[in-house]
Amino acid sequence: MSDPYSSRTPVHEQVVDGFGAVRVLPLDPGADAAVIHRWVGEERAAFWGMTELTEQQVAAVYAHMAALDTHHAHLVVRDGEPVALLQTYEPEADRVSECYDVRPGDIGVHLLLAPAGPGGGQPGWTARLVAVVAAYVLLGLDRRRVVVDPDVRNEKAVARFLGLGFAPGPVVVLPEIDLPDVYLPEKKAQLAFLDRELMFPG
């Protein structure tokens, strides 16, 4: 089967024994909208806040993000199959900066995993994928610490991050953003942090 993503240039590429070849590609708002729309439309992605959007609206959201210097979206592909949506952002340019003391070298991350395949979830799958994402943002982008801000009601995501070694931070309320280009409702979030030294000692 041909890999429709093979012609695209990754920002990060890594082969993980027993897992596969993982490539982190800059999101193409037009080409990738159908895949992302399918993921964010599922009930399990309710906390992503895009369940009601059409495919065209999803494309518009990511076209807007592509024009920003501070927020970036990526499609994570394993052996030619899309497996996650990764968004990175500069915390000082995001509403999260109103809720904690941003340190130099911090990078914010949002991660939406693709739905599990017909065989269901595989043990250790998420941990290996997150290790690749961590290698990209901490080593590839030379950052000191990852910050995540899952909704406190999204207990599965909170537990997943803490289980992967993230240290819990405070529970905060991210303020509502109401701009012509973007609307984000207020969000009660559990902050969590992952230091580079912990993930990649030495």
Side-chain angles (χ1 to χ4, degrees):
M1 190 176 75
S2 65
D3 175 359
Y5 302 98
S6 59
S7 62
R8 288 163 59 174
T9 304
V11 292
H12 182 77
E13 211 166 0
Q14 196 173 330
V15 176
V16 181
D17 284 347
F19 187 65
V22 182
R23 303 168 77 232
V24 181
L25 309 172
L27 190 79
D28 180 325
D32 299 330
V35 169
I36 302 304
H37 177 251
R38 196 165 68 242
W39 294 351
V40 299
E42 294 191 349
E43 189 53 42
R44 66 183 191 90
F47 295 109
W48 206 258
M50 298 172 78
T51 47
E52 303 301 317
L53 298 191
T54 65
E55 186 178 317
Q56 288 72 26
Q57 287 170 320
V58 168
V61 166
Y62 287 103
H64 170 72
M65 190 179 292
L68 303 176
D69 292 330
T70 54
H71 293 62
H72 303 281
H74 305 87
L75 190 68
V76 184
V77 176
R78 182 188 71 147
D79 292 341
E81 284 292 317
V83 291
L85 168 63
L86 167 68
Q87 292 175 200
T88 60
Y89 62 91
E90 303 298 335
E92 64 270 21
D94 191 84
R95 61 181 178 166
V96 75
S97 64
E98 298 181 35
C99 303
Y100 89 103
D101 291 327
V102 179
R103 290 186 200 162
D106 279 0
I107 186 165
V109 163
H110 299 301
L111 185 67
L112 178 65
L113 301 176
Q122 299 166 349
W125 193 97
T126 302
R128 285 185 282 187
L129 187 70
V130 169
V132 174
V133 169
Y136 167 55
V137 296
L138 291 170
L139 302 179
L141 299 179
D142 192 23
R143 298 306 182 98
R144 307 300 311 174
R145 185 171 71 154
V146 174
V147 55
V148 293
D149 60 358
D151 192 301
V152 289
R153 296 167 298 166
N154 192 353
E155 294 172 0
K156 203 170 176 181
V158 173
R160 181 186 292 134
F161 283 123
L162 298 185
L164 291 168
F166 281 73
V171 172
V172 299
V173 177
L174 303 182
E176 176 188 64
I177 291 180
D178 194 358
L179 299 171
D181 290 323
V182 60
Y183 174 75
L184 294 170
E186 185 179 273
K187 179 172 103 168
K188 192 174 184 183
Q190 169 69 62
L191 297 188
F193 303 92
L194 182 68
D195 288 304
R196 185 162 85 185
E197 289 74 18
L198 183 75
M199 194 75 185
F200 305 102

